[in-house]
């Protein structure tokens, strides 16, 4: 499962395609070609090279080094059948035999708290909830400068695939037993990961109904924009091993 990161810049690496989607395309091409016995280390090196190669062809690597917000970026959760391992690179989560595992970015919750505080301030000043559910979220704009600043910790204090070396200590590797079990992989567009897609969608719908601004018990860096049935793109995969 590959989750491309939302663009924080107007720079596009491929015309007509968002940077997150293009990162997903390049990483998926690499995964389709890599040997079945690839290790987690080899995957991290190979996926990084797949994006780095693109920079060499089109964008100065020095600029990408200085401006992480302009990089191609994605999180990945992958199952190695031969090694019987699950690898979490970046902000994604999974259920393994019903047990929950994640690998969150360390700054995500403080940023969500910052946005939630601004939302409450705007509501107190008289702004309506509907105004805050428009595509241009004034509360999100408040946290963007801090988000861009902490992105300089990308592949230092947390792992992502962005064309720069991945600190493998920040990659979560889960060794599975040889007992039959069910795996669920999902992007962070599902804040409540359940054993079935139906249950996960129901929990998401409840969140949208009860707290569309995402400022309550569950806080996020985005709200449910009017007309959307989620606050973020989402992928859900369930299979048995």
């Amino acid at each position: 499962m590959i989750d491309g990161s939302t663009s924080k810049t107007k720079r596009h690496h491929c015309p007509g395609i968002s940077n997150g989607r293009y990162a997903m395309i390049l990483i998926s091409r690499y995964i389709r070609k890599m040997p079945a016995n690839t290790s987690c280390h080899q995957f991290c090196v190979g996926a990084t090279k797949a994006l780095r190669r693109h920079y060499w062809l089109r964008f100065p690597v020095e600029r990408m080094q200085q401006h992480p917000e302009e990089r191609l970026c994605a999180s990945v959760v992958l199952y190695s059948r031969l090694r019987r391992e699950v690898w979490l690179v970046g902000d994604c989560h999974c259920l393994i035999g019903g047990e929950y595992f994640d690998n969150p970015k360390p700054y995500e919750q403080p940023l969500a708290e910052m946005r939630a505080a601004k939302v409450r301030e705007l509501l107190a000043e008289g702004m309506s909830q509907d105004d805050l559910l428009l595509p241009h979220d004034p509360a999100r704009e408040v946290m963007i400068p801090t988000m861009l600043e902490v992105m300089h910790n990308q592949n230092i204090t947390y792992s992502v695939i962005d064309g720069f070396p991945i600190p493998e200590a920040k990659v979560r590797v889960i060794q599975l037993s040889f007992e039959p079990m069910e795996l669920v992989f999902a992007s962070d567009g599902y804040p409540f990961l359940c054993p079935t897609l139906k249950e996960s969608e129901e929990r998401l719908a409840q969140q949208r109904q009860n707290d569309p601004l995402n400022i309550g018990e569950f806080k996020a860096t985005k709200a449910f924009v009017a007309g959307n049935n989620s606050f973020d793109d989402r992928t859900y995969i369930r299979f048995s091993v």
Side-chain angles (χ1 to χ4, degrees):
M1 190 283 302
I2 308 170
D3 182 19
S5 298
T6 303
S7 295
K8 315 295 189 304
T9 174
K10 294 182 179 179
R11 178 185 287 268
H12 284 274
H13 287 259
C14 184
I17 302 177
S18 71
N19 290 344
R21 180 169 180 77
Y22 192 50
M24 178 276 294
I25 290 171
L26 294 179
I27 294 167
S28 64
R29 285 176 182 168
Y30 167 72
I31 290 173
R32 283 196 295 268
K33 295 178 180 179
M34 72 183 194
N37 65 346
T38 295
S39 67
C40 182
H41 165 72
Q42 290 168 331
F43 167 73
C44 288
V45 171
T48 296
K49 286 182 178 178
L51 269 58
R52 185 66 166 244
R53 190 178 301 116
H54 167 82
Y55 298 153
W56 281 117
L57 294 173
R58 303 192 181 193
F59 296 95
V61 172
E62 293 77 11
R63 181 172 179 84
M64 296 295 101
Q65 178 75 54
Q66 297 168 8
H67 294 274
E69 73 277 6
E70 294 186 356
R71 299 175 194 167
L72 296 170
C73 184
S75 297
V76 176
V77 54
L78 196 65
Y79 171 62
S80 168
R81 183 180 63 84
L82 288 185
R83 295 178 180 274
R84 205 159 175 87
E85 293 176 342
V86 173
W87 310 331
L88 286 84
V89 186
D91 192 7
C92 41
H93 53 174
C94 64
L95 294 175
I96 299 178
E99 184 177 356
Y100 180 77
F101 297 87
D102 66 352
N103 192 32
K105 298 173 184 173
Y107 70 82
E108 194 79 4
Q109 196 56 37
L111 286 172
E113 297 281 357
M114 181 186 299
R115 178 186 157 273
K118 185 62 179 180
V119 168
R120 294 193 190 95
E121 179 184 321
L122 293 172
L123 290 171
E125 292 173 356
M127 186 172 285
S128 71
Q129 176 174 283
D130 289 344
D131 289 336
L132 291 167
L133 294 176
L134 295 175
H136 176 75
D137 180 351
R140 181 173 168 81
E141 290 300 314
V142 168
M143 67 167 208
I144 289 296
T146 304
M147 178 179 284
L148 296 181
E149 181 180 338
V150 299
M151 285 180 71
H152 285 275
N153 291 321
Q154 204 162 282
N155 274 334
I156 298 174
T157 61
Y158 64 95
S159 64
V160 290
I161 299 175
D162 68 353
F164 287 81
I166 298 169
E168 294 180 35
K170 305 298 182 182
V171 175
R172 189 161 190 180
V173 178
I174 305 158
Q175 184 70 57
L176 276 59
S177 70
F178 287 92
E179 297 295 323
M181 64 183 69
E182 191 168 83
L183 306 184
V184 173
F185 293 172
S187 65
D188 56 358
Y190 285 106
F192 311 106
L193 190 54
C194 302
T196 67
L197 176 60
K198 182 176 183 293
E199 292 173 281
S200 298
E201 286 283 344
E202 287 173 349
R203 290 292 305 277
L204 186 64
Q206 290 169 8
Q207 176 66 23
R208 181 188 178 201
Q209 180 178 354
N210 298 332
D211 179 23
L213 293 170
N214 288 332
I215 61 171
E217 183 177 348
F218 168 72
K219 296 178 181 67
T221 57
K222 304 174 187 174
F224 287 80
V225 173
N228 292 353
N229 60 7
S230 183
F231 63 94
D232 201 356
D233 56 335
R234 59 201 193 278
T235 299
Y236 184 102
I237 305 169
R238 178 164 62 105
F239 58 101
S240 297
V241 297

